[in-house]
Amino acid sequence: GEFHLEDAEKENASSYILASAHLRAGNKEKALDLLEKAYRERLGGMVNIYGNTLIFAPLENEPRFKELLRKMNFPN
């Protein structure tokens, strides 16, 4: 079905999913906050952020995003 941010927050969806939703809405800072939180929580979905360029392309040049990839040992 259709994705609604409110539903995701209600159902306490993973930070990773919420981050991609915020990114689609144009909220880069909020998306980065959530990705950093997901990293700290060691969420499984985090392995998908590398190579998932369609979703995370808007963050490619963000220093916080690059740092996150570095911490996760991804090439950048």
Side-chain angles (χ1 to χ4, degrees):
E2 203 163 311
F3 182 87
H4 296 286
L5 193 53
E6 296 78 25
D7 296 341
E9 285 176 335
K10 260 207 304 275
E11 291 166 22
N12 201 11
S14 78
S15 302
Y16 165 79
I17 292 169
L18 282 175
S20 58
H22 278 289
L23 205 47
R24 281 202 299 271
N27 306 329
K28 282 189 188 179
E29 292 303 310
K30 182 72 174 156
L32 283 162
D33 291 344
L34 286 160
L35 287 175
E36 286 166 352
K37 179 175 185 278
Y39 171 77
R40 288 194 302 274
E41 294 168 357
R42 296 285 189 273
L43 289 179
M46 286 298 284
V47 297
N48 299 317
I49 74 171
Y50 185 73
N52 207 335
T53 46
L54 222 60
I55 296 176
F56 295 107
L59 295 178
E60 275 175 353
N61 297 316
E62 297 289 327
R64 287 169 67 191
F65 189 68
K66 287 180 176 171
E67 174 62 13
L68 200 54
L69 291 181
R70 194 189 62 71
K71 283 195 287 201
M72 293 172 68
N73 297 316
F74 285 128
N76 46 24

